[in-house]
Amino acid sequence: MSLDLNLPQQEAVRHTGTPLLVLAGAGSGKTRVITQKIAYLIGERGMPARHIAAVTFTNKAAREMKARVGRLLGQTPEGLRISTFHALGLDIIRREARHLGLRPGFSIYDNQDSANLIRDLMCRSFGDDGKQAERTQWRISAWKNDFLQPEQVLLEDKSDAISAAAMRVYADYNRHLRTCNAVDFDDLIMLPVLLFREQPEILDKWRSRIRYLLIDEYQDTNATQYELVRALVGERQGLTVVGDDDQSIYAWRGACPENLARLQTDFPDLRVIKLEQNYRSMGRILKAANALIGNNPHVYEKRLWSDLGYGDPIRVIRTANEEDEAERIVAELLHHRFQKGSRFGDYAILYRGNHQSRLFEKQLALHNVPYYLSGGTSFFAYSEIKDIMAYLRLVTNPEDDNAFLRIVNTPRREIGPTSVEALVRFAASRHSHLLNACFDNAIHSELKTRAVNSIQAFANWVVDMSQRVAAGESVEVVRDIIRDIGYETWLIDNCKEREDAERRMGNVNDLVEWISRLSREQKEGGLGEVIRRLTLLDMLDRDDDNARDQVSLMTLHAAKGLEFDCVFLVGFEENLLPHRASIEEGNIEEERRLAYVGLTRARRELTLSFAARRKRHGEIVECEPSRFLDELPADDLDWSGRDNNLSDEEKKARGRGHLAGLRKLLATE
C-alpha cells in the first residue's frame, strides 16, 4: 500500500468485499485511488490482471491511468483492460459481431455519417428538406443513451413534431445501419447490452473475463452505460465506482447523476467512502465552492477541505461591456504574470460558451500572448483526412455506402452528380449496396455507357483493394490507394497555393504513419480494426494536449479534470452562467454544478468577471451579475480592489451589499 494515501483513500483501495462507491470531490485524488486499487488487486490480492477492467470517458484519461499502473507495478500487466466505455463496447461487438448480425469489417459511423443517413431517410420518408435532420439525430442519440428502442419510443407522446419525425425515422435508421454493416457511436454501448439480455451464455462468458470492474467519472454515465455496468458486474459484485455528483455537467449528452442513487437500490450492500481532502486548491476557493454547491440537493453530503493554506480573496471585476471585459482580463493576466514571474501555462480563461472566446483571442494576439484554444479543428475534420479515411472504410467494408458516396468522384473520375444520383436510385430499387449495384447488368438501362464504364472501373479497383485487405495487407494497401488515385497531384491541381497542397499532403502522410504504427502494435483484426480504432479515437478525443507554455482558453465543460494556478472565470452573469436556456427550462442545478467546476479548477487564485452590457443579436442589452455571486461568501470576495481603505467590518458589510447596489446602478445607467 502506498504511503502517499490518506486514510479514506487507503480504505477505498482495500475494500473489496462489497460494491463500493467512492464519492470523490474535486482534486481529492480519485485517479490515484483507482490506479492504486488496480495495483492492490493484482499485487496483494493475487487477482489475474486479465480479469480486471477499468473504464473511463476519454482516451487521455485511459492512457494516464494505464501509465500510472505501469509505474506502480513496474510494467503494465499483460491482459489488463483499461479503456474508455466505448472502446470496451467496440471490443465486445468485434468479438461477438456474428451474434449481432454484423459481418467482419463493419464500419463505425461518425456524427456526419449519421446525419447524412438521417437526412436521406427523412427526405425519402416525408420530403423533409434536411433542416430537421440535426435535431432528429440528437433525439435518436438521446433515446439510445436512455436505453430506449424504437418499439418503446413509439409508446411516447407524439405531440412534439421533432419527436414524431424522429420516431418515424429511428427504426429505419437502425435497419439502414445494419444493411450497410455499420454501427453508430451510441450503438457501441447499446448493442452489447441488448446482446447480453438476449443471449445469457454470452453474458456469462464476459462475466468470466471481467471479474472486477472499476468505473471512473461515474457521475457522467448515461442510462445505457449503467445497464452495461450492471450486466457485467452480476452477482459477483466486484465493483468500484468513483464519482462526484457535484461535477455532473453532461445532462445534455445523456449523463444521469441519478445513477449514484440507483447504485444503492441495485446493490444493497454498497459501501460509500467520501474523499473530501482537496490537494489542489487554497482553502478560500474551496470555501466558496462549498457554499455555492451547498444550494443543490444531494444524495450524499460532502464538504471539501484543504491544508494548503487559506489563500487570497476571490476577485470580482465588473466591466462596462464585453470588449472592456476582454481588455481588462488580459491586462490583469499580464500584470499578474509580470509581478509573479509565472508561466503563461499557469493561466486559464474559462467561459460558458465557445462564442465568448473571440474577443479574448483578439486581445491575447494583440499583446503577442501565446494561447491554446480548446475545441479547435480536429485532425480528422480536415477534408484530406476524411477523404483517405473514407477510402479505407470502403475497402475494409465494401457495404459502407456513405464512404462510397464521398469518394466515388474524389479525385474526379468523370462520374458526375447526375450519374451518382441515378446509381443511388437504382441501388435503392434493387435493395442493394452501391458497390454491388455497380456490377448489376441492369444498370446499363439507367446510365450512359461512358458513366457505367467509369463507375465499374472504380468498383473493380475497390474490390481489388478489398481482396488485398482480406489477404492481410495493411500499410502497403494504404500507400497504394493514395498512389493509385493520384491524390497528391489532385491536391496540387486544386489548391490555390502549393504550400497549402504540401501541408494537406503532410497531413495524409501523418495519417499513413499513424496507421503504420497502430498496425505494428495490433495483434488481431487487420486494417479494418485499425480504421475502427482511429474513428473511435476521433470521436472521443478531438483536442490535442496543451503541453506548450500558453494561456488556455476553454469552456467550462472542456475544463473539467484540469487545473491551473490562476483562473479567470468570465461572463459570470445571468443568461450566460446560468445560461438562458437552462433558466427557461428550470435547470439551474446543473448550471450551478458547472460554476462549481469552474471555481475548483483554480489552485491558487480565482477571478470572476461580468459585463454591465453586452451585444446580443446585434442589440446592446443590459446584463445582471450571476445569481451565483449571491451564493458565495461575501467576506471572501474582493470587488476589484476598491475596498482596500475600509476596515474589515466595513469590507464585509460592503461585500454583502455590493450585488444589490450594482443591480440598482445597472438599472439607472
Side-chain angles (χ1 to χ4, degrees):
M1 178 70 65
S2 173
L3 297 177
D4 64 349
L5 297 179
N6 61 36
L7 289 177
Q9 289 173 334
Q10 291 182 39
E11 189 179 2
V13 168
R14 287 195 176 101
H15 182 84
T16 58
T18 67
L20 173 66
L21 165 61
V22 181
L23 203 64
S28 63
K30 66 179 181 61
T31 304
R32 185 187 310 166
V33 166
I34 292 178
T35 53
Q36 291 272 9
K37 185 153 194 171
I38 294 171
Y40 173 76
L41 290 170
I42 296 171
E44 298 191 35
R45 295 301 298 268
M47 182 174 288
R50 68 181 182 277
H51 292 319
I52 299 172
V55 295
T56 186
F57 283 85
T58 68
N59 288 306
K60 179 182 177 182
R63 287 193 299 269
E64 180 184 350
M65 212 179 289
K66 193 174 293 185
R68 287 200 194 187
V69 172
R71 288 194 294 270
L72 288 170
L73 294 175
Q75 62 178 359
T76 303
E78 184 73 22
L80 176 64
R81 186 189 299 271
I82 299 178
S83 70
T84 63
F85 261 106
H86 290 86
L88 172 61
L90 174 59
D91 190 38
I92 295 171
I93 292 173
R94 184 175 62 81
R95 294 175 185 271
E96 311 297 344
R98 180 173 58 86
H99 298 286
L100 289 164
L102 292 167
R103 295 168 293 287
F106 65 88
S107 296
I108 303 174
Y109 273 23
D110 65 13
N111 206 46
Q112 184 176 332
D113 293 322
S114 295
N116 289 340
L117 175 54
I118 289 171
R119 190 173 293 110
D120 181 56
L121 290 172
M122 293 182 74
C123 181
R124 283 195 232 167
S125 298
F126 36 91
D128 183 82
D129 59 4
K131 293 180 179 179
Q132 301 298 336
E134 185 177 337
R135 296 175 69 182
T136 299
Q137 179 185 21
W138 177 87
R139 190 63 56 91
I140 291 173
S141 177
W143 285 330
K144 290 191 177 187
N145 287 332
D146 288 339
F147 199 60
L148 293 172
Q149 298 175 69
E151 56 270 24
Q152 294 170 289
V153 168
L154 287 172
L155 300 176
E156 292 190 0
D157 178 17
K158 304 178 185 178
S159 57
D160 176 359
I162 300 300
S163 291
M167 287 176 191
R168 293 173 61 183
V169 171
Y170 188 9
D172 283 346
Y173 170 70
N174 279 348
R175 278 194 296 272
H176 276 75
L177 281 174
R178 301 304 167 265
T179 300
C180 292
N181 197 31
V183 298
D184 67 16
F185 188 64
D186 301 311
D187 285 335
L188 296 178
I189 308 297
M190 191 169 199
L191 290 181
V193 179
L194 291 174
L195 178 66
F196 290 159
R197 287 192 171 190
E198 294 167 1
Q199 302 197 40
E201 66 282 3
I202 294 178
L203 174 57
D204 288 342
K205 181 173 66 176
W206 279 91
R207 282 178 176 173
S208 68
R209 285 178 178 167
I210 299 176
R211 300 182 183 179
Y212 204 97
L213 183 62
L214 301 100
I215 313 293
D216 187 24
E217 302 287 8
Y218 178 75
Q219 76 282 345
D220 292 339
T221 56
N222 59 41
T224 308
Q225 287 162 336
Y226 180 81
E227 293 299 331
L228 180 62
V229 170
R230 193 168 66 161
L232 287 171
V233 171
E235 296 179 0
R236 186 179 288 113
Q237 299 200 344
L239 175 68
T240 291
V241 305
V242 181
D244 181 8
D245 53 343
D246 290 333
Q247 295 188 74
S248 181
I249 57 174
Y250 294 113
W252 52 276
R253 69 182 190 195
C256 300
E258 299 83 7
N259 285 347
L260 287 163
R262 290 186 66 186
L263 278 173
Q264 191 78 66
T265 302
D266 292 336
F267 301 100
D269 295 333
L270 182 74
R271 176 77 181 278
V272 179
I273 296 176
K274 300 178 184 179
L275 303 185
E276 297 174 295
Q277 182 175 1
N278 176 284
Y279 293 92
R280 173 191 301 159
S281 303
M282 307 299 284
R284 195 187 302 261
I285 293 170
L286 296 180
K287 177 184 174 184
N290 285 331
L292 175 69
I293 206 63
N295 291 280
N296 272 6
H298 289 82
V299 178
Y300 303 102
E301 295 292 339
K302 69 176 184 306
R303 192 167 185 84
L304 295 179
W305 61 275
S306 168
D307 60 7
L308 299 177
Y310 198 50
D312 296 332
I314 296 168
R315 298 191 65 204
V316 182
I317 298 176
R318 172 188 180 271
T319 63
N321 52 47
E322 61 263 53
E323 288 87 358
D324 183 35
E325 181 182 45
E327 292 174 10
R328 180 77 179 273
I329 293 301
V330 172
E332 293 280 346
L333 187 156
L334 291 171
H335 177 67
H336 185 277
R337 180 174 179 271
F338 176 77
Q339 281 190 319
K340 304 289 185 180
S342 308
R343 299 169 60 256
F344 284 120
D346 294 334
Y347 299 89
I349 300 173
L350 308 182
Y351 36 79
R352 178 62 174 83
N354 279 311
H355 68 280
Q356 294 172 255
S357 70
R358 184 179 58 82
L359 293 173
F360 294 96
E361 288 185 76
K362 179 180 176 181
Q363 285 298 316
L364 291 169
L366 187 64
H367 291 87
N368 295 314
V369 175
Y371 66 88
Y372 164 80
L373 179 64
S374 176
T377 303
S378 160
F379 175 75
F380 291 92
Y382 292 122
S383 61
E384 60 272 19
I385 301 303
K386 293 184 79 69
D387 287 344
I388 302 304
M389 285 293 288
Y391 272 100
L392 299 179
R393 282 170 46 192
L394 186 59
V395 299
T396 55
N397 177 18
E399 298 168 354
D400 191 332
D401 285 351
N402 270 9
F404 182 102
L405 289 172
R406 180 176 182 92
I407 62 174
V408 65
N409 203 36
T410 303
R412 284 183 284 275
R413 297 183 175 85
E414 298 182 352
I415 305 172
T418 302
S419 297
V420 173
E421 289 174 12
L423 175 63
V424 169
R425 288 194 302 270
F426 175 74
S429 70
R430 312 288 281 194
H431 305 289
S432 170
H433 302 294
L434 293 174
L435 191 70
N436 288 343
C438 295
F439 299 109
D440 192 318
N441 287 331
I443 196 173
H444 289 274
S445 63
E446 302 292 330
L447 294 171
K448 294 179 180 179
T449 301
R450 183 176 178 181
V452 171
N453 290 340
S454 297
I455 287 173
Q456 290 186 338
F458 170 68
N460 279 312
W461 176 83
V462 171
V463 170
D464 288 343
M465 291 296 168
S466 296
Q467 289 173 345
R468 290 178 59 185
V469 170
E473 294 187 48
S474 56
V475 181
E476 301 86 357
V477 175
V478 177
R479 293 197 173 101
D480 286 349
I481 286 172
I482 295 168
R483 187 201 63 222
D484 286 0
I485 65 177
Y487 199 74
E488 183 170 12
T489 302
W490 183 74
L491 286 177
I492 293 171
D493 291 343
N494 285 273
C495 291
K496 293 182 179 178
E497 303 292 338
R498 189 176 182 89
E499 291 78 7
D500 187 36
E502 291 173 350
R503 176 188 59 78
R504 294 177 64 182
M505 194 62 205
N507 288 336
V508 171
N509 291 332
D510 288 344
L511 176 65
V512 174
E513 289 307 310
W514 202 349
I515 291 171
S516 177
R517 179 169 59 82
L518 288 176
S519 297
R520 290 194 300 270
E521 295 172 356
Q522 186 172 281
K523 296 179 180 178
E524 56 182 331
L527 182 60
E529 183 62 20
V530 170
I531 301 310
R532 285 192 291 273
R533 285 180 62 188
L534 285 174
T535 303
L536 187 56
L537 179 70
D538 174 39
M539 292 175 175
L540 291 173
D541 286 340
R542 294 185 181 271
D543 290 331
D544 294 326
D545 293 345
N546 179 17
R548 294 172 52 203
D549 183 23
Q550 47 198 349
V551 174
S552 292
L553 285 175
M554 61 182 65
T555 65
L556 290 165
H557 286 97
K560 185 170 174 290
L562 304 178
E563 55 188 70
F564 306 90
D565 279 358
C566 298
V567 168
F568 295 90
L569 208 174
V570 301
F572 208 72
E573 60 204 52
E574 292 292 294
N575 294 318
L576 275 179
L577 186 64
H579 193 273
R580 179 173 49 188
S582 296
I583 295 173
E584 293 170 353
E585 295 168 3
N587 192 16
I588 297 299
E589 291 174 14
E590 176 146 340
E591 292 293 304
R592 187 177 285 112
R593 292 194 292 266
L594 199 54
Y596 172 83
V597 166
L599 299 185
T600 54
R601 297 312 94 196
R603 294 190 191 105
R604 305 186 62 82
E605 296 180 55
L606 175 64
T607 299
L608 311 175
S609 70
F610 61 92
R613 298 181 181 86
R614 276 186 196 274
K615 184 179 291 186
R616 185 174 296 143
H617 305 305
E619 296 183 2
I620 303 297
V621 298
E622 302 291 329
C623 303
E624 288 190 14
S626 171
R627 68 188 70 188
F628 299 147
L629 275 171
D630 280 322
E631 299 174 2
L632 302 181
D635 54 350
D636 289 301
L637 304 181
D638 175 6
W639 293 86
S640 195
R642 296 175 185 170
D643 301 340
N644 291 339
N645 296 323
L646 303 178
S647 68
D648 288 343
E649 287 302 313
E650 287 172 321
K651 287 180 183 179
K652 291 179 182 179
R654 184 167 177 175
R656 293 188 188 99
H658 212 99
L659 273 176
L662 277 172
R663 290 196 170 100
K664 289 180 182 177
L665 177 65
L666 293 174
T668 58
E669 286 187 354

